[in-house]
Amino acid sequence: MSLAPGAGQLKAAQVATAAGLSESWAWKAREQGILTEPHFEDDVIALRVYAFVAQIVWPGQRRPRSARHDLELWQSLAVEAARQTVSDDKTTKDTILWVLEDAVHLVTTPAERAAFDLDVLGGRVAIRIPIGEWVAELPTSLDSVKTKRRRSSTKTAAS
């Protein structure tokens, strides 16, 4: 499921809006090296996944809310796998990104899902991200962001 090439550059605020997030997530992602300029459509999906995985605390782990949290390897893997799904021709609406504490897996077909469940999952804690649906929604999200008009800053003179 690939978008048209040359879909255009985005501003950080547009990336956040298209991802359905506040701008603060874009700034956090920039600090972590997830977003770098120029921004494109794959950054929308990367930001959405980053905001999701940044909040995960695995069972048995403690993480103080007030402490700064650098990206862990599994989080970086999830973000990069998500970014690649945007341009991957194998991505369909049924593609799932499974995030485990030590790995990530992209699964699309029913056979892949069954094999993943038997060979990898088997009782482990995992997070299921509907990445294919997010990629399928991307053109609509981008269209709405690009067509929004900013308020005019010109003042009208009183007659």
Side-chain angles (χ1 to χ4, degrees), residues 1-3 41-46 81-89 91 131 135 138:
M1 181 178 290
S2 176
L3 297 177
E41 60 271 356
D42 62 335
D43 288 319
V44 174
I45 298 299
R83 186 184 302 278
Q84 292 172 8
T85 61
V86 175
S87 60
D88 189 348
D89 292 334
T91 301
I131 198 75
V135 171
L138 190 54

Side-chain angles (χ1 to χ4, degrees), residues 100-133:
L100 290 83
E101 191 172 1
D102 59 353
V104 297
H105 298 270
L106 286 167
V107 177
T108 299
T109 66
E112 288 174 345
R113 277 185 238 132
F116 174 76
D117 195 11
L118 290 171
D119 298 339
V120 179
L121 200 53
R124 293 180 67 189
V125 175
I127 306 293
R128 179 186 182 275
I129 300 176
I131 198 75
E133 290 181 19

Side-chain angles (χ1 to χ4, degrees), residues 73-75 77-79 81 97-100 102-106 116:
L73 179 59
W74 64 270
Q75 292 168 316
L77 291 172
V79 170
L97 176 63
W98 283 98
V99 180
L100 290 83
D102 59 353
V104 297
H105 298 270
L106 286 167
F116 174 76

Side-chain angles (χ1 to χ4, degrees), residues 11-88:
K11 295 181 168 121
Q14 290 175 310
V15 171
T17 302
L21 300 166
S22 71
E23 255 183 88
S24 65
W25 279 109
W27 305 135
K28 288 178 190 177
R30 199 164 102 191
E31 289 172 9
Q32 294 284 337
I34 300 297
L35 294 182
T36 57
E37 291 186 2
H39 304 297
F40 297 99
E41 60 271 356
D42 62 335
D43 288 319
V44 174
I45 298 299
L47 180 61
R48 196 166 177 186
V49 170
Y50 165 71
F52 190 86
V53 300
Q55 300 178 72
I56 297 172
V57 179
W58 295 106
Q61 291 186 357
R62 297 179 60 101
R63 187 170 80 176
R65 284 186 154 270
S66 59
R68 176 179 159 84
H69 304 290
D70 290 326
L71 278 182
E72 294 183 37
L73 179 59
W74 64 270
Q75 292 168 316
S76 296
L77 291 172
V79 170
E80 287 311 309
R83 186 184 302 278
Q84 292 172 8
T85 61
V86 175
S87 60
D88 189 348

